[in-house]
Amino acid sequence: MARAPWFAAGPGAWWAMLGHLRPPDPTVPTPAEDWRHAVVDVVIPVCRHHDTVVHCLASLLGQTRLPRRVLLVDDGGIDRDHSLQLAREFARANGIRLETIARGWSIGRVVTLKRQSREFEGDVLLVLDADAVLESPDYIERCICELYQGVGIASASGRMLPLQESACERLETSAPFRNWLGDDDYAHRQRPHNRWQTALQRMSQGYHAHMAVLQQDFLDAGVSRVDGGVPIGSGGAVAYRRRYLRDLFHRYEPIRGDDFTALEDHFIALALMNAGYRNIRVPDVVARTRAPSLLRLPEHSRRWSAGFLQLHHYFDVLLRSPLRRLRMPGPARREDAAQWRRGKAERRVQEPYRQGFGERITRERGRPLGTPLALIALERIGYPVLLWVLALAGQWTALAIVVALEVLATCFIAARFASGPRLRAALQALAWAPVRYLLILQEPVALGWFAIRRWWKRDLDWHVRRDASGRRRPRAIRH
């Protein structure tokens, strides 16, 4: 899902606006590999997803491109719900060859991805969350097609929107669902039981849909036109080149083990960027995932912000990309551009946004996507601090002007890039502004938490799973 909070008047937004004003790379791709021959495997990490795992499998059966293998990994929920049992019953009713792994306790999805990237033999590994459904019937097909448009593309995903009850009800009337249920009615435990729960659920879905417009339709789409990829990927349903993912684990396992921070998808995306690959978003296909409640947004925001800072500390070389270009003298930059044009003319296989691979190039020259990453990090740190400084200094007029300009920019962007009526989108942006600013004002809490862990306690492993005595949990797996 889209990350919250997000600031629409920051430097990252201006960089995205620059992308919307300029045309994309005109290079016509001539891929060396045919995407139609790619073998697709699916891995579904599940942990207490009793209410959505069957919907996830039903949406997978409705795809125009079916995978060769489907593996469901129950990561520690086997003793607390019946996700694995329901998935097996659904697979038997529809003739699916479903492979399963059951763990006695949770050891994280990184272990799952590492193991399957090494043991599977397919070309593409689709990582599908158990609380996500593929709404577009050609989701897998389109992602694979775009994934193979260039050797430098490492992952592809569609638009991620909040899961609505109407989408669940459509799946519950589909043929695979009826094969499993027969004439019985499906009892959905997560459906609201009163007006308060219904209102809260609709508000949560509306807020995350609004944030998806800002994050995916505006920021990601604009940055993709400038730099060829998304700066911050959102998980849920992501197709990876399996060998790229395998090489990534070979590279980082000796350094980080299985601890890829609390934001595993974001770590993988940054690690691929650091090696010169790109992560792209396919805008014409949609997947939906369960949106967290509004009441849990402060907790999710603090957790994500702390993980965001931690990851950018690990990959600070990407954030220094703008400085790398500035330090190069003018003649060196011109020679570099001329050499790139000569190489582009001589290549038989053309690829838009082509760049060299390897971490050495990242250290020496930076990466194009490092610029929006640095700008987004600057605004996430600078904007909340600016608001608090103005408030503590009593500069209420300046504070009101800054907030008003940011809210107006948000309303304009939402109206310009929303798929529905523009006036409605602008009013929604205005209505959700108080929620965004409540989250923005708590950002210094995450900044302080990270600073204490980084410079005082010198411990960045607060996300690691530990037992009651404080020791790291063992990595044993029970089948």
Side-chain angles (χ1 to χ4, degrees), residues 228-239:
V230 295
I232 301 175
S234 55
V238 185

Side-chain angles (χ1 to χ4, degrees), residues 249-268:
F249 284 110
H250 288 336
R251 166 72 175 84
Y252 287 97
E253 184 181 28
I255 303 173
R256 306 237 58 85
D258 296 327
D259 302 324
F260 280 15
T261 77
L263 306 177
E264 301 98 337
D265 295 334
H266 194 20
F267 184 100
I268 292 173

Side-chain angles (χ1 to χ4, degrees), residues 87-88 131 157 240 250 263 276 278 304 402 408 471 478:
R88 286 170 174 167
D131 61 350
S157 60
Y240 293 99
H250 288 336
L263 306 177
R278 294 183 286 123
W304 192 86
V402 170
L408 286 176
R471 294 175 299 181
R478 186 176 71 190

